[in-house]
Amino acid sequence: MSDDKKLKNAQNVYKTLCAMLDEKELKYEKHEDDLVVTFILGGDDIPMQFVLNVDSDRQLIRLLSPIPVTFEGDKRIEGAIATCQANYRIADGSFDFDFKQGRILFRMTSSYIDSLISKDVFKYMVAVASYTVDEYNDKFFMLAKGQLPIEEFFKKK
């Protein structure tokens, strides 16, 4: 597929994304040059930041949500272990742990190669991501601050 055709396809996917956000009446910022939208959703405890990007080269939709916590020093080992445990439990998407920085990022992707993308794809991605991030962001925060023992992180609700 030519680069022009890939870009045109990506722009159509981006329009579908924006239409879904408008339909849901979500406040968001458009970054049309990069085919990116950013928005914040209120969770049960910690607001959640989301970045959705339509990658025209790889024909991929990428959703990212940085967890607003940093694991310092010795806590980085616990952060890495907790990230693995969280990933074991979730059905879609994943948490990425940057050991050097002590930071966690939730990531979810969906390919649109040879596909027609509906608003439902974006509704699903935002719903699953917001549920998952809201479920774990406070636990990661308390673990990083020493307010939650690692053993408690492993217990199911």
Side-chain angles (χ1 to χ4, degrees), residues 42 50 52 120 137 141:
F50 293 95
L52 271 151
D120 290 337
N137 61 5
F141 181 83

Side-chain angles (χ1 to χ4, degrees), residues 86-97:
N87 283 334
Y88 181 74
R89 290 183 176 170
I90 61 179
D92 206 351
S94 65
F95 289 102
D96 297 337
F97 186 74

